[in-house]
Amino acid sequence: MEEKNTSSSTERFIPMTSMNSGEGIEIAPDLYSYTIQVVNVTFVGLPGNPDEWVLVDAGMPKSANVIIEAAEERFGKGARPKAIILTHGHFDHIGAIPELLDHWQVPVYIHPLELPYVTGEKDYPQPDSTVQGGMVAKMSPMFPNEGIDLGDAVKPLPLDGTVPSMTGWRWIHTPGHSEGHVSFFRDQDRALIAGDAFVTVKQESLYRVFTQELEISGPPRYLTTDWKAAKESVQKLNALKPACATTGHGIPVAGEWLADNLEMLARDFDDIAKPDYGKFV
Ligand SMILES: [Zn+2]
Ligand SMILES: [Zn+2]
């Protein structure tokens, strides 16, 4: 078998955590956001059906066992997703993939523009430790930026906007945080899986990441490379008027809080989200 270069982006445990690590919140009967240290994965599917669900995003490096355990607890013994669907390829959203694929052998889907970062062709830019923000931004040089190589296991999302094995959902291109970043939306109940297009914790602040203090926030600053596109992406999501949302970082949100805060973020994006200085500004 051909040797895969899964490189250091999934090999190193990153010693950062939050109070919510290992906890999950259900925001719809079939939508469950689960926290791995400082990042969330979303389980899509009704509990108790071990073969009828999908995993959106794949957590921190070295977290495969935690994800498998959480999946079995929710869906039943031997739980195995139909697919792993990625919002983007940053290390904290793909960290467990190599080990998960050893265990599950399921297809992985990502936006075509993000594909080169998970097939070993491209690396993300180095995180910007000089960006305006808190301690996490300063620590970000320890975050891996190398693309991984998932080989044939990873496929592009279909161009018609449908999401494999997620009936009723469509993917929405929300670039800015990364080139091929996507969010997922279900028109029926206006549920949103936002990924890192916006988040609900100030991800640059080590203290707020630890306490998971609720606050609408733009995409994590140290990894966001195109602020104009990031703003347009938030406006695109706000226009959908989501009723509830899971985000890549921070707790899931719904109702009036989400409506008011997303509206404010879309309107005042340059003040709230965009840093005053940094190498990508
Ligand atoms: Zn990210
Ligand atoms: Zn992230």
Side-chain angles (χ1 to χ4, degrees):
M1 202 182 124
E2 189 189 316
E3 182 142 294
K4 279 185 196 164
N5 168 31
T6 48
S7 87
S8 58
S9 49
T10 59
E11 275 164 16
R12 263 182 294 142
F13 177 78
I14 311 283
M16 267 179 76
T17 197
S18 71
M19 285 167 39
N20 291 9
S21 184
E23 310 231 335
I25 298 178
E26 190 177 83
I27 58 157
D30 65 348
L31 215 50
Y32 183 67
S33 172
Y34 185 83
T35 308
I36 314 279
Q37 296 171 247
V38 298
V39 69
N40 303 319
V41 300
T42 305
F43 293 113
V44 184
L46 290 168
N49 300 303
D51 304 314
E52 297 293 327
W53 60 282
V54 163
L55 177 67
V56 177
D57 284 348
M60 296 285 275
K62 303 289 158 204
S63 67
N65 287 342
V66 178
I67 293 175
I68 292 165
E69 248 172 61
E72 296 204 336
E73 200 169 301
R74 183 161 174 86
F75 299 107
K77 193 113 199 75
R80 179 172 178 268
K82 288 185 161 272
I84 299 172
I85 317 263
L86 299 171
T87 58
H88 63 304
H90 284 155
F91 78 98
D92 52 335
H93 296 253
I94 53 127
I97 289 208
E99 281 116 344
L100 287 179
L101 291 185
D102 283 346
H103 190 76
W104 282 333
Q105 291 103 32
V106 293
V108 179
Y109 292 91
I110 199 163
H111 188 278
L113 288 173
E114 205 77 356
L115 202 55
Y117 299 98
V118 292
T119 50
E121 288 151 62
K122 271 189 182 176
D123 292 335
Y124 289 108
Q126 293 275 357
D128 180 7
S129 60
T130 68
V131 75
Q132 180 197 14
M135 197 54 202
V136 177
K138 306 269 177 300
M139 286 162 63
S140 63
M142 72 188 262
F143 299 160
N145 68 306
E146 307 89 353
I148 61 165
D149 186 1
L150 299 174
D152 295 343
V154 63
K155 299 171 177 26
L157 283 165
L159 291 173
D160 64 3
T162 57
V163 187
S165 304
M166 278 171 63
T167 312
W169 292 82
R170 55 189 167 111
W171 60 262
I172 293 159
H173 189 203
T174 45
H177 180 60
S178 71
E179 248 181 295
H181 189 285
V182 293
S183 306
F184 303 100
F185 189 69
R186 180 165 60 189
D187 293 274
Q188 197 198 345
D189 62 350
R190 303 203 326 280
L192 174 70
I193 300 171
D196 283 357
F198 69 89
V199 300
T200 60
V201 65
K202 224 174 179 26
Q203 187 64 17
E204 298 79 26
S205 160
L206 195 58
Y207 175 75
R208 299 213 196 151
V209 165
F210 181 74
T211 58
Q212 297 280 290
E213 190 182 312
L214 180 61
E215 179 176 0
I216 195 99
S217 190
R221 288 179 170 177
Y222 42 87
L223 289 170
T224 300
T225 47
D226 184 341
W227 286 98
K228 187 173 173 288
K231 178 182 181 173
E232 287 162 6
S233 292
V234 165
Q235 291 171 337
K236 202 189 270 186
L237 294 180
N238 182 47
L240 294 171
K241 300 285 164 233
C244 61
T246 69
T247 56
H249 305 274
I251 61 176
V253 284
E256 220 170 290
W257 192 96
L258 172 60
D260 293 350
N261 282 277
L262 190 55
E263 175 73 26
M264 178 180 73
L265 183 65
R267 189 186 57 223
D268 303 333
F269 188 88
D270 291 343
D271 292 334
I272 300 171
K274 194 177 156 189
D276 293 336
Y277 56 87
K279 70 178 178 184
F280 304 122
V281 180

